[in-house]
Amino acid sequence: MTVRSGEFPVAGKKCVADGSRRRPLLAGLIALLAAAPLAARAEDCPGHPNALGTSRTLVVDPTEHTKIGTMQYGETLPLKDHEVVLTFDDGPLPSHSNQVLETLASECVKATFFIIGRMAKQYPDGVRRLRDAGHTIGTHSENHPLSFNHMPLQRVEQEIEEGITHTTAALGGDTSAVSPFFRIPGLLRAEGVEDYLASRGIMTWSADFPADDWRHITPAQVMNYALTRLEAKGKGVLLLHDIQGRTATMLPQLLRELKTKGYHIVHVVAATPDRPKTPTEARDWLMHPDAGIAVARWPAVPRLIYAAKATTPAPDASTASAWLGDLARRQTGFYRPGRFGADVVPLPSDPAWPRPVVAAAAEAANTLPAPDQSLFRRIKIPGGSIRLAGRGQHAEAMPARLEPAVTMESAVAIQTVAARRQLPGSWPVMTVGLQRGPVTPR
């Protein structure tokens, strides 16, 4: 079809441009044609009519929004409700990455892969398979050190640049195949690292929710984390790892569940001179831009004006005693729960406070009175005799009177040990080794 000057075809019709209306329409048409081949829809998935597919392709400018992912930053990708971006870290690893690629191909789903430089150097075919399948290729450092948050900036720059170099080398030096997207290992961010990436025109990717697939959990638990956290936010960037066998195992069921629950997959690419960015507004880059409106409409807290600021005088002792006595009378019929709440215990009828003050003696005696001597007189036993016998010596016999038919001899053995002698002024100590002598008739 031949188009004359001043005319361009639109939907099979010939339209004449009048100058002012030609440029906006032409620019919109070019943007539409540029974005149209990027979208992979479910109906365009040969052999899989019920595939999930990729609903649309989002083109972003890394220099305008340098940090995304609400796990760490205030902004995220400008997604609509029920839109998901799949991301995979740490690959390629053929034993599991190839299984992930086959699953994505069967559902015609496009994702973003963050490549480790040494893995790309060891498995360059895995990186080329990602490019040939149309996935977005970002980078994830050279060796995945979990120390970006305190590593010297010079070392950080080396990790970033070597990772990009080896990923590009695996693609035959094709720099256009590597997107200016970078994810910090372990999400251990640092302000200097993010500033360096922004100076290089590279967008720092965090995530909106992970699936914890790096933990030692089952594939079912990985899928449960992914779905529950996605439903909690309604949309966002999902963080996965294509080097994990549990992720490769659960991925087919996860994609089926996403389709069943009405979610749509979004493919993200970087803007180029031939591929303009997707038009967005600043509020589109917020997870829930309208979340604060309901809070702002709450009624304001009323300002309370106090008539006076004088303090209440403290009651004197007589007033307090009368008040406590009246309170005790009121609490006569009041019960409080017991220790285990199964029964109740009545409060005392008398007030517990103030308690009666015990008057102390005006002048306390410094010494105690001496005991009467009668307390220490010897007990006389009539009709008998007591013999005190010590070890190595005998005490004299003390006569006593008993009944005529009975004579009692008592031998008491006294153990004289220096360690057990009673000190002057100490408490009386019972002497060990006391034995009662035999009682014999006279």
Side-chain angles (χ1 to χ4, degrees), residues 95-394:
S95 57
H96 301 308
S97 299
N98 291 342
Q99 184 179 351
V100 170
L101 285 177
E102 292 173 1
T103 301
L104 296 177
S106 66
E107 295 287 340
C108 290
V109 169
K110 304 299 179 186
T112 301
F113 289 80
F114 292 94
I115 305 300
I116 294 179
R118 61 182 175 84
M119 301 294 285
K121 185 178 180 179
Q122 185 174 0
Y123 305 107
D125 292 341
V127 184
R128 288 191 286 268
R129 288 193 61 180
L130 293 174
R131 178 195 58 188
D132 298 340
H135 298 289
T136 298
I137 299 176
T139 55
H140 198 38
S141 79
E142 173 67 13
N143 300 292
H144 199 281
L146 296 177
S147 53
F148 263 51
N149 54 336
H150 56 78
M151 184 184 296
L153 187 58
Q154 183 178 1
R155 178 59 181 157
V156 169
E157 296 174 5
Q158 182 181 356
E159 280 286 337
I160 295 173
E161 298 301 333
E162 288 183 358
I164 296 174
T165 300
H166 287 150
T167 303
T168 305
L171 298 172
D174 185 7
T175 57
S176 63
V178 180
S179 298
F181 300 154
F182 184 85
R183 178 170 280 161
I184 299 175
L187 302 182
L188 299 175
R189 58 174 295 272
E191 187 175 355
V193 177
E194 297 160 352
D195 293 342
Y196 174 75
L197 292 170
S199 67
R200 292 271 281 104
I202 300 175
M203 175 186 285
T204 303
W205 281 53
S206 181
D208 293 315
F209 47 90
D212 293 2
D213 56 345
W214 63 87
R215 295 167 50 193
H216 296 288
I217 57 179
T218 63
Q221 289 175 311
V222 174
M223 189 181 67
N224 179 64
Y225 281 133
L227 291 177
T228 54
R229 292 169 180 175
L230 171 59
E231 292 179 356
K233 290 194 172 183
K235 61 179 181 179
V237 180
L238 173 61
L239 172 59
L240 298 169
H241 295 78
D242 58 311
I243 66 171
Q244 298 291 343
R246 59 183 66 91
T247 303
T249 301
M250 72 90 197
L251 187 59
Q253 186 177 357
L254 174 64
L255 298 181
R256 288 193 296 268
E257 288 294 327
L258 292 178
K259 181 176 177 61
T260 302
K261 296 179 180 295
Y263 287 94
H264 306 282
I265 302 298
V266 175
H267 185 207
V268 184
V269 296
T272 62
D274 300 330
R275 185 168 55 198
K277 66 179 181 180
T278 302
T280 59
E281 298 180 1
R283 67 190 311 272
D284 298 334
W285 293 79
L286 303 177
M287 174 60 72
H288 300 293
D290 299 330
I293 294 180
V295 177
R297 292 179 179 176
W298 279 92
V301 178
R303 295 181 60 187
L304 302 178
I305 301 176
Y306 297 91
K309 297 183 179 180
T311 57
T312 303
D316 56 11
S318 59
T319 306
S321 301
W323 181 82
L324 290 171
D326 182 66
L327 177 62
R329 288 190 295 273
R330 295 182 182 181
Q331 291 181 342
T332 303
F334 178 75
Y335 292 87
R336 60 183 178 185
R339 179 179 179 183
F340 300 101
D343 54 358
V344 292
V345 179
L347 291 175
S349 57
D350 296 330
W353 185 90
R355 296 179 180 179
V357 180
V358 179
E363 294 182 359
N366 295 327
T367 58
L368 295 176
D372 188 79
Q373 294 184 0
S374 62
L375 298 176
F376 300 96
R377 71 175 181 272
R378 184 172 56 192
I379 302 175
K380 296 182 180 180
I381 302 176
S385 63
I386 297 177
R387 179 178 296 176
L388 300 177
R391 294 182 181 179
Q393 61 180 356
H394 296 277

Side-chain angles (χ1 to χ4, degrees), residues 17-103:
D18 58 356
S20 62
R21 299 172 58 185
R22 176 181 177 181
R23 292 184 179 86
L25 291 175
L26 184 59
L29 180 61
I30 293 175
L32 179 62
L33 293 176
L38 299 176
R41 296 168 296 179
E43 54 268 21
D44 297 335
C45 195
H48 301 276
N50 297 323
L52 174 60
T54 303
S55 63
R56 69 185 180 105
T57 298
L58 176 64
V59 184
V60 298
D61 185 355
T63 62
E64 291 186 356
H65 299 271
T66 59
K67 298 174 291 188
I68 62 98
T70 54
M71 285 184 65
Q72 295 174 298
Y73 308 117
E75 290 186 339
T76 188
L77 292 175
L79 302 176
K80 301 177 182 177
D81 186 40
H82 275 65
E83 286 189 338
V84 187
V85 175
L86 299 180
T87 63
F88 296 88
D89 289 6
D90 298 353
L93 185 64
S95 57
H96 301 308
S97 299
N98 291 342
Q99 184 179 351
V100 170
L101 285 177
E102 292 173 1
T103 301

Side-chain angles (χ1 to χ4, degrees), residues 414-415 417-432 434:
I414 303 175
Q415 182 179 3
V417 181
R420 295 188 176 274
R421 291 177 180 174
Q422 180 178 345
L423 299 178
S426 64
W427 191 263
V429 178
M430 179 65 68
T431 305
V432 297
L434 295 179

